[in-house]
Amino acid sequence: ADTVIVTYGRITSVAHEAIVRLAEPQRIGILKLVQIFPLDMENIMSLIGNAKRIYFLEEGYRFGTYGDAMLIL
């Protein structure tokens, strides 16, 4: 996929709905994390490594999120 949305939990349904509304499911992928600690970075990077754009969709905290953790890699 050109674009990957990385998410977990209840907000995953919001990501799925956005893709359906954009009508481009073949170009946008969803990576739903089932475990957020510790992050399996090797596996995650193998799934999103070729994406041109990566979005982190998460709810709750503004800082200290798994998106922050992935940015430092």
PDB file of all heavy atoms in Angstrom, residues 35-55:
ATOM      1  N   GLN A  35      -0.607  -5.636  20.331  1.00  0.00           N
ATOM      2  CA  GLN A  35       0.230  -5.480  21.520  1.00  0.00           C
ATOM      3  C   GLN A  35       0.997  -4.176  21.353  1.00  0.00           C
ATOM      4  O   GLN A  35       1.681  -3.974  20.360  1.00  0.00           O
ATOM      5  CB  GLN A  35       1.207  -6.647  21.624  1.00  0.00           C
ATOM      6  CG  GLN A  35       2.180  -6.531  22.757  1.00  0.00           C
ATOM      7  CD  GLN A  35       3.112  -7.733  22.801  1.00  0.00           C
ATOM      8  OE1 GLN A  35       2.726  -8.835  22.480  1.00  0.00           O
ATOM      9  NE2 GLN A  35       4.339  -7.487  23.197  1.00  0.00           N
ATOM     10  N   ILE A  36       0.864  -3.271  22.305  1.00  0.00           N
ATOM     11  CA  ILE A  36       1.541  -1.983  22.162  1.00  0.00           C
ATOM     12  C   ILE A  36       2.790  -1.869  23.015  1.00  0.00           C
ATOM     13  O   ILE A  36       3.543  -0.913  22.882  1.00  0.00           O
ATOM     14  CB  ILE A  36       0.595  -0.795  22.436  1.00  0.00           C
ATOM     15  CG1 ILE A  36       0.006  -0.862  23.835  1.00  0.00           C
ATOM     16  CG2 ILE A  36      -0.484  -0.745  21.388  1.00  0.00           C
ATOM     17  CD1 ILE A  36      -0.773   0.373  24.229  1.00  0.00           C
ATOM     18  N   PHE A  37       3.018  -2.866  23.868  1.00  0.00           N
ATOM     19  CA  PHE A  37       4.268  -2.877  24.624  1.00  0.00           C
ATOM     20  C   PHE A  37       4.639  -4.309  24.948  1.00  0.00           C
ATOM     21  O   PHE A  37       3.798  -5.055  25.451  1.00  0.00           O
ATOM     22  CB  PHE A  37       4.147  -2.082  25.933  1.00  0.00           C
ATOM     23  CG  PHE A  37       5.450  -1.986  26.651  1.00  0.00           C
ATOM     24  CD1 PHE A  37       6.384  -1.040  26.268  1.00  0.00           C
ATOM     25  CD2 PHE A  37       5.759  -2.853  27.673  1.00  0.00           C
ATOM     26  CE1 PHE A  37       7.604  -0.956  26.915  1.00  0.00           C
ATOM     27  CE2 PHE A  37       6.966  -2.779  28.332  1.00  0.00           C
ATOM     28  CZ  PHE A  37       7.893  -1.822  27.945  1.00  0.00           C
ATOM     29  N   PRO A  38       5.824  -4.704  24.669  1.00  0.00           N
ATOM     30  CA  PRO A  38       6.827  -3.979  23.885  1.00  0.00           C
ATOM     31  C   PRO A  38       6.479  -4.054  22.396  1.00  0.00           C
ATOM     32  O   PRO A  38       5.864  -5.008  21.936  1.00  0.00           O
ATOM     33  CB  PRO A  38       8.120  -4.729  24.164  1.00  0.00           C
ATOM     34  CG  PRO A  38       7.683  -6.132  24.459  1.00  0.00           C
ATOM     35  CD  PRO A  38       6.330  -6.002  25.124  1.00  0.00           C
ATOM     36  N   LEU A  39       6.856  -3.018  21.663  1.00  0.00           N
ATOM     37  CA  LEU A  39       6.605  -2.986  20.229  1.00  0.00           C
ATOM     38  C   LEU A  39       7.544  -3.958  19.517  1.00  0.00           C
ATOM     39  O   LEU A  39       8.732  -3.980  19.784  1.00  0.00           O
ATOM     40  CB  LEU A  39       6.834  -1.580  19.672  1.00  0.00           C
ATOM     41  CG  LEU A  39       5.804  -0.532  20.061  1.00  0.00           C
ATOM     42  CD1 LEU A  39       6.246   0.826  19.569  1.00  0.00           C
ATOM     43  CD2 LEU A  39       4.447  -0.876  19.476  1.00  0.00           C
ATOM     44  N   ASP A  40       7.007  -4.726  18.616  1.00  0.00           N
ATOM     45  CA  ASP A  40       7.798  -5.632  17.788  1.00  0.00           C
ATOM     46  C   ASP A  40       8.227  -4.856  16.540  1.00  0.00           C
ATOM     47  O   ASP A  40       7.641  -4.983  15.476  1.00  0.00           O
ATOM     48  CB  ASP A  40       6.972  -6.865  17.418  1.00  0.00           C
ATOM     49  CG  ASP A  40       7.743  -7.875  16.611  1.00  0.00           C
ATOM     50  OD1 ASP A  40       8.926  -7.621  16.286  1.00  0.00           O
ATOM     51  OD2 ASP A  40       7.164  -8.927  16.292  1.00  0.00           O
ATOM     52  N   MET A  41       9.253  -4.036  16.708  1.00  0.00           N
ATOM     53  CA  MET A  41       9.653  -3.110  15.648  1.00  0.00           C
ATOM     54  C   MET A  41      10.098  -3.827  14.380  1.00  0.00           C
ATOM     55  O   MET A  41       9.838  -3.350  13.282  1.00  0.00           O
ATOM     56  CB  MET A  41      10.747  -2.169  16.141  1.00  0.00           C
ATOM     57  CG  MET A  41      10.275  -1.205  17.214  1.00  0.00           C
ATOM     58  SD  MET A  41       8.767  -0.303  16.760  1.00  0.00           S
ATOM     59  CE  MET A  41       9.332   0.609  15.337  1.00  0.00           C
ATOM     60  N   GLU A  42      10.739  -4.959  14.486  1.00  0.00           N
ATOM     61  CA  GLU A  42      11.189  -5.677  13.296  1.00  0.00           C
ATOM     62  C   GLU A  42       9.991  -6.095  12.440  1.00  0.00           C
ATOM     63  O   GLU A  42       9.984  -5.906  11.229  1.00  0.00           O
ATOM     64  CB  GLU A  42      12.003  -6.897  13.709  1.00  0.00           C
ATOM     65  CG  GLU A  42      12.617  -7.637  12.542  1.00  0.00           C
ATOM     66  CD  GLU A  42      13.500  -8.772  13.005  1.00  0.00           C
ATOM     67  OE1 GLU A  42      14.263  -8.601  13.973  1.00  0.00           O
ATOM     68  OE2 GLU A  42      13.425  -9.841  12.368  1.00  0.00           O
ATOM     69  N   ASN A  43       8.985  -6.635  13.080  1.00  0.00           N
ATOM     70  CA  ASN A  43       7.779  -7.051  12.366  1.00  0.00           C
ATOM     71  C   ASN A  43       7.020  -5.844  11.810  1.00  0.00           C
ATOM     72  O   ASN A  43       6.561  -5.858  10.670  1.00  0.00           O
ATOM     73  CB  ASN A  43       6.885  -7.874  13.289  1.00  0.00           C
ATOM     74  CG  ASN A  43       5.756  -8.532  12.542  1.00  0.00           C
ATOM     75  OD1 ASN A  43       5.895  -8.930  11.399  1.00  0.00           O
ATOM     76  ND2 ASN A  43       4.628  -8.657  13.200  1.00  0.00           N
ATOM     77  N   ILE A  44       6.882  -4.800  12.611  1.00  0.00           N
ATOM     78  CA  ILE A  44       6.173  -3.596  12.167  1.00  0.00           C
ATOM     79  C   ILE A  44       6.860  -2.981  10.959  1.00  0.00           C
ATOM     80  O   ILE A  44       6.216  -2.645   9.959  1.00  0.00           O
ATOM     81  CB  ILE A  44       6.062  -2.574  13.318  1.00  0.00           C
ATOM     82  CG1 ILE A  44       5.118  -3.112  14.398  1.00  0.00           C
ATOM     83  CG2 ILE A  44       5.584  -1.224  12.805  1.00  0.00           C
ATOM     84  CD1 ILE A  44       5.118  -2.308  15.676  1.00  0.00           C
ATOM     85  N   MET A  45       8.176  -2.866  11.013  1.00  0.00           N
ATOM     86  CA  MET A  45       8.906  -2.249   9.896  1.00  0.00           C
ATOM     87  C   MET A  45       8.817  -3.104   8.636  1.00  0.00           C
ATOM     88  O   MET A  45       8.774  -2.576   7.528  1.00  0.00           O
ATOM     89  CB  MET A  45      10.365  -2.000  10.275  1.00  0.00           C
ATOM     90  CG  MET A  45      10.522  -0.958  11.371  1.00  0.00           C
ATOM     91  SD  MET A  45       9.692   0.612  11.025  1.00  0.00           S
ATOM     92  CE  MET A  45      10.715   1.232   9.720  1.00  0.00           C
ATOM     93  N   SER A  46       8.754  -4.410   8.782  1.00  0.00           N
ATOM     94  CA  SER A  46       8.615  -5.259   7.598  1.00  0.00           C
ATOM     95  C   SER A  46       7.253  -5.063   6.935  1.00  0.00           C
ATOM     96  O   SER A  46       7.120  -5.230   5.727  1.00  0.00           O
ATOM     97  CB  SER A  46       8.822  -6.724   7.965  1.00  0.00           C
ATOM     98  OG  SER A  46       7.739  -7.227   8.696  1.00  0.00           O
ATOM     99  N   LEU A  47       6.243  -4.680   7.720  1.00  0.00           N
ATOM    100  CA  LEU A  47       4.901  -4.471   7.174  1.00  0.00           C
ATOM    101  C   LEU A  47       4.698  -3.081   6.586  1.00  0.00           C
ATOM    102  O   LEU A  47       3.900  -2.900   5.682  1.00  0.00           O
ATOM    103  CB  LEU A  47       3.854  -4.735   8.266  1.00  0.00           C
ATOM    104  CG  LEU A  47       3.786  -6.174   8.752  1.00  0.00           C
ATOM    105  CD1 LEU A  47       2.910  -6.268   9.998  1.00  0.00           C
ATOM    106  CD2 LEU A  47       3.249  -7.076   7.656  1.00  0.00           C
ATOM    107  N   ILE A  48       5.407  -2.079   7.098  1.00  0.00           N
ATOM    108  CA  ILE A  48       5.193  -0.711   6.621  1.00  0.00           C
ATOM    109  C   ILE A  48       6.401  -0.127   5.899  1.00  0.00           C
ATOM    110  O   ILE A  48       6.353   1.012   5.452  1.00  0.00           O
ATOM    111  CB  ILE A  48       4.787   0.230   7.772  1.00  0.00           C
ATOM    112  CG1 ILE A  48       5.914   0.363   8.800  1.00  0.00           C
ATOM    113  CG2 ILE A  48       3.500  -0.216   8.413  1.00  0.00           C
ATOM    114  CD1 ILE A  48       5.630   1.369   9.883  1.00  0.00           C
ATOM    115  N   GLY A  49       7.450  -0.907   5.741  1.00  0.00           N
ATOM    116  CA  GLY A  49       8.706  -0.410   5.201  1.00  0.00           C
ATOM    117  C   GLY A  49       8.635   0.242   3.833  1.00  0.00           C
ATOM    118  O   GLY A  49       9.386   1.158   3.544  1.00  0.00           O
ATOM    119  N   ASN A  50       7.741  -0.183   2.958  1.00  0.00           N
ATOM    120  CA  ASN A  50       7.667   0.360   1.606  1.00  0.00           C
ATOM    121  C   ASN A  50       6.617   1.445   1.430  1.00  0.00           C
ATOM    122  O   ASN A  50       6.442   1.954   0.328  1.00  0.00           O
ATOM    123  CB  ASN A  50       7.399  -0.769   0.608  1.00  0.00           C
ATOM    124  CG  ASN A  50       8.552  -1.745   0.553  1.00  0.00           C
ATOM    125  OD1 ASN A  50       9.702  -1.371   0.731  1.00  0.00           O
ATOM    126  ND2 ASN A  50       8.240  -3.005   0.316  1.00  0.00           N
ATOM    127  N   ALA A  51       5.918   1.786   2.480  1.00  0.00           N
ATOM    128  CA  ALA A  51       4.867   2.800   2.381  1.00  0.00           C
ATOM    129  C   ALA A  51       5.462   4.188   2.170  1.00  0.00           C
ATOM    130  O   ALA A  51       6.503   4.523   2.720  1.00  0.00           O
ATOM    131  CB  ALA A  51       4.010   2.800   3.648  1.00  0.00           C
ATOM    132  N   LYS A  52       4.783   4.979   1.344  1.00  0.00           N
ATOM    133  CA  LYS A  52       5.221   6.360   1.111  1.00  0.00           C
ATOM    134  C   LYS A  52       4.776   7.280   2.248  1.00  0.00           C
ATOM    135  O   LYS A  52       5.429   8.261   2.552  1.00  0.00           O
ATOM    136  CB  LYS A  52       4.655   6.864  -0.216  1.00  0.00           C
ATOM    137  CG  LYS A  52       5.208   6.127  -1.413  1.00  0.00           C
ATOM    138  CD  LYS A  52       4.586   6.630  -2.683  1.00  0.00           C
ATOM    139  CE  LYS A  52       5.092   5.823  -3.868  1.00  0.00           C
ATOM    140  NZ  LYS A  52       4.410   6.211  -5.099  1.00  0.00           N
ATOM    141  N   ARG A  53       3.619   6.950   2.844  1.00  0.00           N
ATOM    142  CA  ARG A  53       3.086   7.749   3.943  1.00  0.00           C
ATOM    143  C   ARG A  53       2.630   6.808   5.051  1.00  0.00           C
ATOM    144  O   ARG A  53       1.998   5.792   4.791  1.00  0.00           O
ATOM    145  CB  ARG A  53       1.895   8.583   3.477  1.00  0.00           C
ATOM    146  CG  ARG A  53       2.277   9.711   2.550  1.00  0.00           C
ATOM    147  CD  ARG A  53       1.036  10.410   1.991  1.00  0.00           C
ATOM    148  NE  ARG A  53       0.201   9.540   1.182  1.00  0.00           N
ATOM    149  CZ  ARG A  53       0.434   9.214  -0.091  1.00  0.00           C
ATOM    150  NH1 ARG A  53       1.487   9.681  -0.695  1.00  0.00           N
ATOM    151  NH2 ARG A  53      -0.383   8.435  -0.757  1.00  0.00           N
ATOM    152  N   ILE A  54       2.941   7.179   6.285  1.00  0.00           N
ATOM    153  CA  ILE A  54       2.535   6.394   7.445  1.00  0.00           C
ATOM    154  C   ILE A  54       1.842   7.336   8.426  1.00  0.00           C
ATOM    155  O   ILE A  54       2.412   8.355   8.816  1.00  0.00           O
ATOM    156  CB  ILE A  54       3.741   5.728   8.130  1.00  0.00           C
ATOM    157  CG1 ILE A  54       4.482   4.833   7.138  1.00  0.00           C
ATOM    158  CG2 ILE A  54       3.284   4.933   9.351  1.00  0.00           C
ATOM    159  CD1 ILE A  54       5.816   4.355   7.632  1.00  0.00           C
ATOM    160  N   TYR A  55       0.622   6.995   8.795  1.00  0.00           N
ATOM    161  CA  TYR A  55      -0.137   7.779   9.758  1.00  0.00           C
ATOM    162  C   TYR A  55      -0.348   6.939  11.005  1.00  0.00           C
ATOM    163  O   TYR A  55      -0.617   5.745  10.918  1.00  0.00           O
ATOM    164  CB  TYR A  55      -1.495   8.190   9.185  1.00  0.00           C
ATOM    165  CG  TYR A  55      -1.387   9.123   8.010  1.00  0.00           C
ATOM    166  CD1 TYR A  55      -1.450   8.648   6.713  1.00  0.00           C
ATOM    167  CD2 TYR A  55      -1.195  10.480   8.214  1.00  0.00           C
ATOM    168  CE1 TYR A  55      -1.344   9.501   5.636  1.00  0.00           C
ATOM    169  CE2 TYR A  55      -1.086  11.347   7.136  1.00  0.00           C
ATOM    170  CZ  TYR A  55      -1.158  10.843   5.856  1.00  0.00           C
ATOM    171  OH  TYR A  55      -1.045  11.688   4.789  1.00  0.00           O
TER     172      TYR A  55
END
